[in-house]
Amino acid sequence: MTSRIPLVSATDTPAASRATLDAIHGAFGATPHMFRAVANSPAALQAMWGFFGALGGGTIAPKLGEQIAVAVADRNACEYCLAAHWALGRKAGASAAEMAAAQAGESADPATAAALRFALKLVEQRGQVGDADVAALRAVGFSDAQVVEILAHVALNLFTNYVNVAFAVPVDFPAVKLRSAA
């Protein structure tokens, strides 16, 4: 499969994207295809990488962030994000069973399960959640800051899912089978 948007290389990277791509390469040890596609727009690349960095400094644990990512990726049929976040989730300490459960929107941990239910409701109902949905997160111990961060993780994953699905970005992580179709 060929990407619908060129994957920039070292020789054709827009000058304004070079520093960000260098930082991404340093973080991953390679430059994932998704970032090479987004690098066509220095503004979009800066926004995406900044979003990842900001949430990386948040109060939601990296493992939960990756569990949210695989749930959202599966719901949006984004093979790229599913593969990438499955690998990142394992690196963040999640077992294969925990990642498979998260992909299905489930967890044995009540707080993680509540976060995944909320994340998927945001996706499925386009943000139309109610008081009870937020209260359910608070009931399992999430602070208001963490509730906002869960929503921010969903928003970032919608951005990356849409990039990869719309532009048919070739997967460069070990493949993971989707559970559902979008």
Side-chain angles (χ1 to χ4, degrees):
M1 178 185 286
T2 303
S3 178
R4 293 181 183 114
I5 294 288
L7 305 179
V8 301
S9 68
T11 59
D12 61 3
T13 300
S17 291
R18 285 192 187 119
T20 305
L21 280 181
D22 287 346
I24 291 165
H25 188 89
F28 285 94
T31 307
H33 291 312
M34 176 185 71
F35 294 109
R36 292 177 54 212
V38 176
N40 283 283
S41 166
L45 181 65
Q46 184 179 14
M48 181 182 281
W49 189 240
F51 207 163
F52 274 111
L55 289 179
T59 61
I60 294 292
K63 177 179 166 182
L64 178 55
E66 299 305 336
Q67 289 170 301
I68 291 167
V70 298
V72 172
D74 195 78
R75 199 53 47 102
N76 287 322
C78 183
E79 294 176 2
Y80 190 100
C81 291
L82 181 60
H85 290 287
W86 184 286
L88 292 168
R90 298 286 285 132
K91 188 175 178 183
S95 69
E98 287 173 313
M99 293 307 288
Q103 183 180 345
E106 301 168 358
S107 175
D109 174 67
T112 301
L116 294 172
R117 276 191 303 275
F118 183 75
L120 291 176
K121 189 166 188 179
L122 286 167
V123 172
E124 293 163 356
Q125 296 187 9
R126 298 184 176 147
Q128 301 297 316
V129 298
D131 294 343
D133 299 305
V134 174
L137 290 173
R138 289 184 182 129
V140 294
F142 286 108
S143 68
D144 290 339
Q146 291 171 317
V147 172
V148 172
E149 285 180 30
I150 291 167
L151 184 139
H153 276 276
V154 171
L156 173 56
N157 283 285
L158 290 174
F159 181 13
T160 62
N161 290 180
Y162 290 1
V163 163
N164 291 301
V165 172
F167 298 147
V169 176
V171 179
D172 53 352
F173 289 88
V176 175
K177 188 178 187 320
L178 290 167
R179 290 179 42 89
S180 61

